[in-house]
Amino acid sequence: MLKGIDQRLSAEVVHVLMLMGHGDDLVICDVNHPAATIAAETTYGRLVDMAGCDIPTAARAILSLMPLDSFVPAPVSRMQVVGNPDGVVPIFARMQAVVDQAEGRAVAMQALERFDFYAAAKRAFAIIRTADSGPYGCFILKKGVVDLPEL
């Protein structure tokens, strides 16, 4: 254990976050997402699990360490409801609340059609699969910059 790091963040999750740079994408998904297949095509190349966490819990822990990109209009993407692009499911509002709280501001979230989401996920740095049963619990977070004071 380390001080100040959420106990749900494994050494591998922290390692992935440390390897990522500004503008890299991180997918957080539910158990229905074809995560293992898509993860093989990411930069990291393998799936990372956060077993026992739902999506908001995993995102809250991750965003306690990782800033979202403030240089793009929408640093969070989500999957559209298939057949109903304007459809809304409860996880959308739950995730919106988590990212807004983590950033201390309203964060824009864009919706991507299912296959566009899969294509974007393949270009991501890594995929973290949660134990969330979904549906539509698929989000891409774009990493921002940590502005550290000079020593």
Side-chain angles (χ1 to χ4, degrees), residues 54-116:
D54 63 7
I55 288 166
T57 302
R60 193 174 297 109
I62 289 164
L63 293 172
S64 73
L65 299 179
M66 186 186 102
L68 291 174
D69 197 335
S70 61
F71 300 150
V72 296
V76 179
S77 300
R78 64 163 177 82
M79 188 183 293
Q80 285 180 348
V81 175
V82 174
N84 184 5
D86 297 322
V88 176
V89 295
I91 191 62
F92 297 167
R94 292 174 60 211
M95 187 63 164
Q96 186 71 60
V98 169
V99 297
D100 289 354
Q101 181 182 28
E103 290 293 300
R105 62 182 172 91
V107 175
M109 187 180 299
Q110 66 180 345
L112 299 175
E113 182 275 332
R114 176 183 173 204
F115 293 104
D116 291 339

Side-chain angles (χ1 to χ4, degrees), residues 146-151:
V146 176
D147 189 15
L148 297 173
E150 292 189 32
L151 298 176

Side-chain angles (χ1 to χ4, degrees), residues 45-57:
R46 65 180 181 272
L47 181 61
V48 179
D49 276 308
M50 283 186 74
C53 287
D54 63 7
I55 288 166
T57 302

